[in-house]
Amino acid sequence: MTDEPRRRRAPGMSPEQRRAMIVQAALPLIAQHGAAITTQQIARAAGIGEATIFRAFADKDAVLEACMAEAANPAGLLRELASIPLDQPLADRLTEALDAMRAHLDRMGAVAGALMTSGHRAGGDDRRRESGDDRRREGGTGRAESLGMVREAVAELLQPDQDTLRLPLDLVAEGFLAISMAAGRAGATLSHPDLVDLFLHGALTGGSDH
């Protein structure tokens, strides 16, 4: 008689992994339904029991706050910017960067807009503000720090052509961030390549010859 092999139990998620999984399941639902989303809907989308949500988060507002923080997290954008080949022409590099930045801002705006229009007020009490401070102490990024990281990533894209720029890299990168913020409005009449050409016309010492 031989012993049957024991079935190994799959390792469970860490609390951080569980929270991240819940947030990823909730984000598209929040963009669609705003704060009216229920924890039951989130649980169904995540393929977990509703009680699991409340083991990971204090309440639904904590889930919403975590989703807003994730939507604003620049990590994905930074990875996209870092993946742009530096051997491409500068205009092509910046067009890819502008596409990535606008997609990030659009995602963030969709989540924030859905929450605001449905009546959710971020950081509405002292406990929420304290938890936000805790997240920053644990390595989260604030708005100013996020913008600084994105500006540095754009400066790296500009670096191979720095000798052709009218201004220092950090100032040109700052200007490029400004046009990315305005691209949503200008995009109705100008494509991203056209916006980049317009930007480079003023940024390069040789005008629009790039």
Side-chain angles (χ1 to χ4, degrees), residues 5 19 38 73 105 110 128 134 162 169 180 189 210:
R19 284 193 290 269
T38 67
N73 188 339
L105 291 171
R128 197 75 63 223
D134 290 340
Q162 61 181 330
L169 282 179
S180 75
T189 54
H210 47 277

Side-chain angles (χ1 to χ4, degrees), residues 16-163:
E16 292 77 15
Q17 290 172 325
R18 187 174 293 109
R19 284 193 290 269
M21 178 266 291
I22 292 169
V23 165
Q24 290 304 316
L27 276 169
L29 296 174
I30 290 172
Q32 182 179 0
H33 302 290
I37 188 72
T38 67
T39 51
Q40 186 177 40
Q41 287 173 302
I42 295 171
R44 190 180 305 119
I48 57 176
E50 192 173 6
T52 301
I53 293 177
F54 296 109
R55 286 196 291 272
F57 293 95
D59 51 31
K60 189 182 83 169
D61 277 350
V63 179
L64 299 182
E65 292 292 334
C67 287
M68 188 63 245
E70 178 59 25
N73 188 339
L77 171 60
L78 293 172
R79 285 193 297 271
E80 290 189 53
L81 294 177
S83 72
I84 297 173
L86 295 180
D87 58 356
Q88 290 188 108
L90 178 57
D92 292 342
R93 272 177 268 150
L94 293 185
T95 297
E96 284 194 41
L98 185 56
D99 289 343
M101 292 166 70
R102 281 311 314 169
H104 171 72
L105 291 171
D106 288 346
R107 285 192 296 269
M108 184 168 58
V111 174
L115 290 177
M116 288 174 62
T117 56
S118 59
H120 177 71
R121 187 163 63 92
D125 55 39
D126 291 339
R127 179 176 58 81
R128 197 75 63 223
R129 283 191 290 273
E130 288 170 2
S131 67
D133 291 340
D134 290 340
R135 282 195 298 273
R136 283 189 287 275
R137 283 194 294 269
E138 292 169 1
T141 55
R143 178 177 171 80
E145 186 179 355
S146 295
L147 286 174
M149 294 164 66
V150 174
R151 183 169 56 248
E152 288 178 10
V154 172
E156 289 182 13
L157 290 176
L158 294 165
Q159 195 164 21
D161 295 86
Q162 61 181 330
D163 292 339

